[in-house]
Amino acid sequence: MNLPFRFARNLLLVATTVIVAAAPARAVTIPEAPAIEAKAYALLDFDSGELLAGNNPDARVEPASITKVLTTYVAFDEIRKGRLKLDDTALISEKAWRQGKDSSESRMFLTLGSRVKIEDLLRGIIIVSGNDASIALAEHLAGSEEAFADLMNAAAKKLGMTNSHFVDASGLPDPEHYTTARDLAILGRALIKEFPEYYKMYSERSFKYGIDHAQENRNGLLIKDPSVDGIKTGHTSAAGYCLLTSASRDGRRLISAVMGAQTWAYREQASLELLNWGFRFYETASLFGPAAAVGTIKVYKGAASEVQVGTLEPVRLTFPRGSKETMQVQNELSPRAIAPIAPGAVLGKATISVDGKVLKTVDLVALTEVQSGGFWRRLIDQIKLWIGF
């Protein structure tokens, strides 16, 4: 056998597929998602990020005051970066004050020319949906609400909200201010995942500032269902009644976005129907992870002769309840790797299926570092590679 032929034979081994788990197929009956009377809706699993159900999930809709979730996300990100503190104070401009004055039901009752703590503004936005608080925060962070909208759109792009565009911090109607049910669910997931310490504000039921009595959180599900801990309501005559909701039950979390319902009561009913359906008929599992290698690959020219392959983080999957027994994982691993190898270097892929349907394909990577070997090791292994050993 000549050398070029042996080398080509080894390259073909890269595509070899190994089935590492298999089970007989078993039918699992899942009823259709509830029929929701709204412009659009989406139901998202928090752990996996998978869309469990949706109707027009990518259709453009007006977010109304759910916009303020992105407003607070941008503020939380500024805190994370050290450019904002909760006890900083913002000056209340005439624009912010007048917007609150003109929005009799959506205001924090800020006083013109006063200075207000950022933490209070955040609660004013989250709990009582204050338009005045939203503008004051936007102006503090970017100088103007228009400039702040640029920060909002940059954040939306980073999060993968591909069908959204924002022009203000409050959610007032505008032809160029739009989003989708899916994008809002993505935003809700990011908010909870990245800022759990601040997300707790979304479960607070009332807030008092500038008036004698406390204002109630408009998310009625916080009272109706103890598993619900957020997120935000929205309403304008054009947008209809909207609700972005998150609930956690038995270690699982789901996020729903119901957009354009006819009444505030129905948006709550519809959200609960979706959540109940998702929790009842779907489950989540964790696969792989750094402590669960799926195989080893021979290493050439390295200080070690092999490297374990898997994923650096667990892979979370959502599938119909009861179908876990039908899961199959097909691994494709490179026949060899050449040092140096960094942790995370892609050395294969895994395709995960349930009931014959592909759920996800993930990269399989080196779980540890392999440094280059000494001179003689590199020389010997180079010769082996030449002769196809």
Side-chain angles (χ1 to χ4, degrees), residues 298-302 373-389:
K298 183 176 179 60
V299 174
Y300 288 84
K301 301 184 180 182
F375 172 78
W376 290 109
R377 171 54 56 196
R378 299 197 306 274
L379 178 61
I380 292 171
D381 282 353
Q382 182 61 63
I383 295 172
K384 289 180 178 179
L385 290 171
W386 283 341
I387 64 177
F389 183 79

Side-chain angles (χ1 to χ4, degrees), residues 3 48 63 96 125 149 154 197 209 220 224 244 250 260 312 330 369 379:
L3 296 185
S48 67
I125 296 169
E197 69 275 31
Y209 190 93
K224 294 179 179 179
L244 179 62
D250 299 324
L312 295 178
Q330 292 182 310
E369 179 185 15
L379 178 61

Side-chain angles (χ1 to χ4, degrees), residues 91-334:
L91 177 66
I92 307 307
S93 69
E94 181 174 356
K95 179 182 177 180
W97 169 77
R98 192 171 297 281
Q99 182 62 65
K101 184 175 180 293
D102 294 341
S103 304
S104 58
E105 294 183 359
S106 298
R107 58 172 168 162
M108 187 180 160
F109 292 92
L110 297 173
T111 302
L112 175 62
S114 64
R115 299 200 69 91
V116 181
K117 283 187 177 182
I118 298 302
E119 184 171 8
D120 288 334
L121 289 178
L122 287 168
R123 282 190 163 85
I125 296 169
I126 291 168
I127 302 169
V128 304
S129 199
N131 290 341
D132 49 359
S134 299
I135 294 173
L137 181 63
E139 291 176 338
H140 181 76
L141 289 176
S144 69
E145 191 175 15
E146 293 76 16
F148 184 75
D150 291 338
L151 299 182
M152 297 173 72
N153 288 316
K157 182 178 180 180
K158 182 192 72 171
L159 294 176
M161 299 171 64
T162 56
N163 294 306
S164 296
H165 186 263
F166 301 89
V167 299
D168 63 64
S170 301
L172 299 178
D174 187 288
E176 294 303 313
H177 193 96
Y178 57 83
T179 187
T180 69
R182 188 198 300 267
D183 280 0
L184 289 180
I186 290 171
L187 171 61
R189 180 175 184 245
L191 176 77
I192 299 168
K193 197 178 187 72
E194 296 182 39
F195 306 110
E197 69 275 31
Y198 303 129
Y199 174 67
K200 296 175 183 178
M201 294 183 189
Y202 278 91
S203 65
E204 296 179 16
R205 297 185 182 180
S206 64
F207 180 62
K208 178 181 177 182
Y209 190 93
I211 54 177
D212 293 335
H213 62 277
Q215 296 189 76
E216 299 298 319
N217 194 317
R218 300 178 187 185
N219 185 357
L221 292 186
L222 293 174
I223 299 174
K224 294 179 179 179
D225 188 329
S227 72
V228 173
D229 55 15
I231 303 175
K232 188 75 182 69
T233 62
H235 172 257
T236 65
S237 58
Y241 289 87
C242 308
L243 182 57
L244 179 62
T245 309
S246 182
S248 180
R249 302 177 188 173
D250 299 324
R252 286 188 62 212
R253 181 180 290 278
L254 298 180
I255 298 172
S256 67
V258 174
M259 309 300 293
Q262 291 297 312
T263 67
W264 66 265
Y266 183 73
R267 72 184 176 189
E268 294 180 1
Q269 174 189 328
S271 298
L272 280 182
E273 288 180 5
L274 285 172
L275 293 169
N276 290 337
W277 178 84
F279 282 120
R280 178 67 180 85
F281 294 111
Y282 283 83
E283 59 184 321
T284 303
S286 180
L287 300 179
F288 308 139
V294 302
T296 58
I297 291 179
K298 183 176 179 60
V299 174
Y300 288 84
K301 301 184 180 182
S305 60
E306 60 183 20
V307 63
Q308 289 190 322
V309 177
T311 60
L312 295 178
E313 297 291 338
V315 175
R316 303 287 288 179
L317 292 171
T318 303
F319 43 82
R321 187 172 295 279
S323 65
K324 184 177 180 180
E325 294 82 358
T326 71
M327 183 181 296
Q328 293 184 335
V329 181
Q330 292 182 310
N331 292 338
E332 296 182 17
L333 302 180
S334 300

